[in-house]
Amino acid sequence: MKITDIKFAMLRVPLKTPFKTALRTVEKVEDVIVIVETDTGHVGYGEAPATAVITGDTHGSIIEAIKTMIKPKLIGEEIEDLNRITHLIQGSIVKNYSAKAAVEIAIYDLFAQRYNTPLYKILGGGEPTISTDITISVDYIDKMVKDSIDAVNQGFETLKIKVGKDIGVDIERVKAIYAAVEGKALLRLDANQGWTAKEAVYALTKLEDAGVRLELVEQPVKGYDLEGMKYITERVHTPVMADESTFGPKEVIDLIKMRAADIINIKLMKTGGISNAIRIADIAETFDVQCMIGCMLETSISVAAAAHLAVAKSHVITKVDLDGPSLCAFDPVVGNVKFNGAEISIENTPGLGIKEIKGLEMLR
Ligand SMILES: C[C@H](N)C(=O)N[C@@H](CCC(=O)O)C(=O)O
Ligand SMILES: [Mg+2]
């Protein structure tokens, strides 16, 4: 099965409600879709969001990186040579992780189709049902409490509460939500780099002293501030998770050795795709560190790939934040991964199992 062409499209899907973090507010998913064609007629799909505030990637940079740097290296390559292809992708250009991720996802889709097997089985198998959290956007306290109660009523047992705006209000936000859903849902916080290290220790200590039990706190300080992450990890009981602080395997090794966090958030858009995500999961397993699998604002194309990986690595990827499709107003994909509230289940069809993507706007 030879790669013959790589095409591009845009996919735009409105969100049910604006997504608000310490870094940005977004009203729709607008992602680049990558379509890898082969001489056998098999097609592989990938997706990349332009999360410029986290990865530095824009729609233009994603498309240009693939068109001018990645695609020329891949035309004519045999899909069976998976490791050679992922090596070519990773070596084609520095950074540009979302572009690399989109192409790798499509390549893994084709590789699994080549062997007529669902992707998770090619990656090592597992129980094809996982449970995701849902994000509660940072907002007025009453709105966040209402959103949290609604999410619990929809069957979500873990809520990812966005904070990182104003430290005093953040403490009140979390206390109010905890009081409303205590015993019904587990709370994880994501400050998206919005606090200083001292603020984080202050807020988490206040919450711990008030009896608020948190599963974890994600990326309390700036991504580059590993000393700050370590400072917090050493001083609070709540486990600290690195998101923006770690992209690739080397950064994960450095962070683990430094003991700057307890948990790693693996996202395909930070690792540059599945090959490095596997490496990170294996490194974490070696060091006995747990991982979360996360996503950006992505639909059920790239999130399906993350779900396949999470199933195959469930012994080390013990936490799931794959709520992108649940945040979308509708699912544009007819495929083999079903996103049904908190439950994500994978059917027994080859590859990512994508049969149709509705509303694709093809690019020239
Ligand atoms: C969507 C997911 N739950 C999430 O919060 N992802 C990111 C932020 C993504 C974005 O800003 O597009 C995270 O920080 O974990
Ligand atoms: Mg995060």
Side-chain angles (χ1 to χ4, degrees), residues 212-284:
V212 174
R213 291 175 67 91
L214 299 171
E215 184 203 16
L216 57 89
V217 61
E218 182 173 339
Q219 200 61 48
V221 294
K222 295 274 184 239
Y224 59 75
D225 187 9
L226 295 190
E227 291 293 343
M229 292 287 282
K230 184 175 168 64
Y231 178 91
I232 302 160
T233 304
E234 284 172 347
R235 284 167 178 78
V236 300
H237 296 293
T238 306
V240 176
M241 182 163 72
D243 183 6
E244 289 93 326
S245 283
T246 51
F247 278 55
K250 169 77 170 61
E251 286 155 358
V252 169
I253 293 173
D254 292 346
L255 180 124
I256 291 175
K257 281 190 166 168
M258 219 182 131
R259 296 184 182 272
D262 303 292
I263 309 168
I264 309 295
N265 187 343
I266 301 175
K267 289 180 185 160
L268 298 180
M269 299 303 144
K270 293 190 299 167
T271 61
I274 296 173
S275 63
N276 272 340
I278 293 170
R279 283 185 192 102
I280 291 174
D282 291 345
I283 290 164

Side-chain angles (χ1 to χ4, degrees), residues 19 24 135 160 162 190 192 218 243 267 295 321 323:
F19 177 80
R24 64 190 194 133
T135 302
K160 169 154 153 164
K162 291 289 187 181
D190 188 359
N192 280 110
E218 182 173 339
D243 183 6
K267 289 180 185 160
C295 63
D321 173 34
D323 60 346

Side-chain angles (χ1 to χ4, degrees), residues 46-322:
E47 174 178 2
T51 320
V53 290
I54 295 177
T55 62
D57 300 317
T58 64
H59 294 139
S61 73
I62 291 164
I63 293 167
E64 276 306 300
I66 299 174
K67 249 189 206 167
T68 61
M69 305 302 290
I70 303 176
K71 177 175 166 179
K73 290 207 175 330
L74 301 193
I75 300 300
E77 288 294 321
E78 295 283 354
I79 285 295
E80 288 85 342
D81 297 333
L82 179 68
N83 289 346
R84 177 183 152 83
I85 295 178
T86 60
H87 185 71
L88 286 173
I89 294 169
Q90 298 306 321
S92 61
I93 183 170
V94 298
K95 301 189 175 176
N96 287 278
Y97 301 113
S98 304
K100 291 173 182 169
V103 179
E104 269 210 2
I105 289 167
I107 297 294
Y108 273 86
D109 182 14
L110 284 165
F111 185 76
Q113 289 182 50
R114 162 70 183 79
Y115 296 103
N116 209 25
T117 307
L119 179 57
Y120 77 90
K121 290 194 179 172
I122 290 279
L123 297 178
E127 184 51 52
T129 304
I130 52 177
S131 189
T132 181
D133 64 8
I134 186 126
T135 302
I136 305 297
S137 284
V138 61
D139 219 312
Y140 298 110
I141 296 177
D142 290 353
K143 167 93 168 74
M144 291 181 78
V145 169
K146 183 184 176 307
D147 289 349
S148 300
I149 293 169
D150 288 350
V152 169
N153 290 338
Q154 286 161 30
F156 288 95
E157 291 176 352
T158 306
L159 308 181
K160 169 154 153 164
I161 311 295
K162 291 289 187 181
V163 288
K165 296 290 264 191
D166 172 289
I167 195 81
V169 184
D170 280 340
I171 294 169
E172 296 312 315
R173 287 182 168 107
V174 179
K175 278 187 184 167
I177 294 168
Y178 188 74
V181 303
E182 187 184 355
K184 296 182 200 140
L186 203 58
L187 300 190
R188 43 182 75 147
L189 305 187
D190 188 359
N192 280 110
Q193 315 178 58
W195 292 336
T196 65
K198 285 193 173 176
E199 281 176 338
V201 172
Y202 170 78
L204 293 165
T205 307
K206 279 251 171 215
L207 290 167
E208 287 167 3
D209 290 349
V212 174
R213 291 175 67 91
L214 299 171
E215 184 203 16
L216 57 89
V217 61
E218 182 173 339
Q219 200 61 48
V221 294
K222 295 274 184 239
Y224 59 75
D225 187 9
L226 295 190
E227 291 293 343
M229 292 287 282
K230 184 175 168 64
Y231 178 91
I232 302 160
T233 304
E234 284 172 347
R235 284 167 178 78
V236 300
H237 296 293
T238 306
V240 176
M241 182 163 72
D243 183 6
E244 289 93 326
S245 283
T246 51
F247 278 55
K250 169 77 170 61
E251 286 155 358
V252 169
I253 293 173
D254 292 346
L255 180 124
I256 291 175
K257 281 190 166 168
M258 219 182 131
R259 296 184 182 272
D262 303 292
I263 309 168
I264 309 295
N265 187 343
I266 301 175
K267 289 180 185 160
L268 298 180
M269 299 303 144
K270 293 190 299 167
T271 61
I274 296 173
S275 63
N276 272 340
I278 293 170
R279 283 185 192 102
I280 291 174
D282 291 345
I283 290 164
E285 187 181 357
T286 308
F287 284 94
D288 211 9
V289 167
Q290 289 185 24
C291 298
M292 171 185 277
I293 186 99
C295 63
M296 303 294 188
L297 288 179
E298 303 163 46
T299 74
S300 51
I301 302 168
S302 49
V303 178
H308 278 268
L309 178 69
V311 163
K313 291 283 181 188
S314 61
H315 52 287
V316 58
I317 299 178
T318 55
K319 300 170 194 306
V320 178
D321 173 34
L322 295 181

